[in-house]
DNA sequence: ATTCGTGCAAACCATTTGCAAGAGA
DNA sequence: TCTCTTGCAAATGGTTTGCACGAAT
């Protein structure tokens, strides 16, 4: 069958990359996380040398396992659509909480806007900001 | 009247910031540019010390004159909606050309998705990728 | 056995900071 | 004049690289 981890292993193999403890661990940290993580957040969570975190995030991004997403003023990382259904994020200006957003219609509209501009769409990144319920009350 | 530059000057003044050659120049470089520029691109274009470019980009971002946009794998900078009508970008995976996108309906949908998720929307960033006409032919 | 990947130290380089001199208001 | 901003030099710190050892296939 095709669990995320099985797909991951196959994907590594087909790219002549080895499955190591470090990559296994990195993958599972990202799989379990409910929101994207910055390198800074990743380093203490993944038990491997920080240099390996950098290298593996890069390598896995190159082969499409990991996706870079702009969150706040810096980039964070999450598993690609290959492992998590395509979605977007909204982060609260007040408390920085992050929620997932999943809206079919937005996707369609984004792609059709790309086509209208003369492009064959290959992807996009959409990040939203707002004030969450809690922070609206606590003002 | 309210040309972009006049608004800029007023905005600086109301934030106790001085109008200097360097800021004037930075502002005009961004105003004339058809697409966002990275710090790296900005430094040779703006005739001031690179430290001042860093500082001014930061300061002007804090007071809402400049906006940071994720382009490709890094961030670039452009004037905020205060000076250029709100829009998004699509960049070609092949030649890196950037075009502007302006679609009212997407805007509405993005905001309504935010509301549905329980947030009062304050902003968003949307960057698209695709293959442009030229690059589709030249394959 | 043969790569490929890791850890460590060192190098790198983009960005930031401290401070004295210069410029705007 | 008074304060903000600039330029320069130096410090900083996140990221990358070189290399020998260790691990995966």
């Amino acid at each position: 069958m095709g669990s995320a981890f099985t797909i991951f292993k196959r994907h590594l193999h087909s790219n002549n990359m080895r499955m190591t403890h470090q990559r296994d661990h990195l993958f599972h940290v990202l799989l379990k996380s409910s929101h994207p993580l910055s390198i800074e957040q990743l380093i203490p969570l993944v038990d491997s040398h920080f240099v390996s975190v950098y290298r593996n995030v890069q390598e896995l991004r190159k082969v499409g396992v990991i996706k870079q997403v702009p969150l706040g003023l810096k980039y964070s990382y999450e598993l690609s659509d290959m492992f998590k259904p395509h979605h977007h994020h909204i982060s609260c200006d007040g408390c920085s909480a992050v929620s997932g957003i999943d809206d079919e219609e937005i996707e369609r509209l984004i792609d059709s806007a790309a086509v209208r501009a003369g492009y064959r769409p290959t992807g996009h990144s959409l990040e939203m900001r707002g004030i969450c319920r809690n922070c609206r009350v606590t003002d």
Side-chain angles (χ1 to χ4, degrees), chain A:
Chain A
M1 44 113 245
S3 74
F5 192 55
T6 308
I7 298 174
F8 177 48
K9 281 188 288 191
R10 249 203 289 282
H11 201 75
L12 285 182
H13 192 251
S14 68
N15 281 280
N16 296 311
M17 292 169 74
R18 292 178 183 172
M19 169 58 95
T20 63
H21 290 165
Q22 291 86 342
R23 285 173 182 169
D24 177 333
H25 197 197
L26 172 58
F27 181 82
H28 280 101
V29 165
L30 289 174
L31 188 62
K32 281 179 223 146
S33 174
S34 63
H35 55 89
L37 298 166
S38 65
I39 295 270
E40 195 183 353
Q41 296 173 306
L42 235 24
I43 287 173
L45 291 178
V46 175
D47 85 74
S48 54
H49 198 260
F50 76 91
V51 170
S52 293
V53 177
Y54 278 106
R55 285 197 272 227
N56 282 326
V57 167
Q58 287 283 29
E59 298 302 310
L60 294 177
R61 192 186 48 69
K62 284 186 197 155
V63 299
V65 169
I66 286 178
K67 185 159 87 169
Q68 190 188 50
V69 311
L71 212 51
L73 291 176
K74 35 185 354 194
Y75 286 110
S76 289
Y77 301 87
E78 66 178 3
L79 293 183
S80 71
D81 302 352
M82 199 183 293
F83 304 101
K84 296 197 170 180
H86 182 77
H87 65 284
H88 299 291
H89 305 97
I90 183 160
S91 60
C92 176
D93 291 338
C95 64
S96 301
V98 177
S99 317
I101 297 269
D102 174 23
D103 186 314
E104 292 266 325
E105 202 181 344
I106 292 183
E107 305 304 320
R108 272 196 300 276
L109 232 68
I110 289 174
D111 281 353
S112 80
V115 170
R116 232 174 304 131
Y119 289 72
R120 179 164 63 70
T122 58
H124 60 256
S125 115
L126 169 61
E127 299 297 321
M128 316 182 206
R129 272 159 282 122
I131 316 269
C132 75
R133 269 194 203 95
N134 270 338
C135 290
R136 256 175 298 168
V137 177
T138 327
D139 268 347

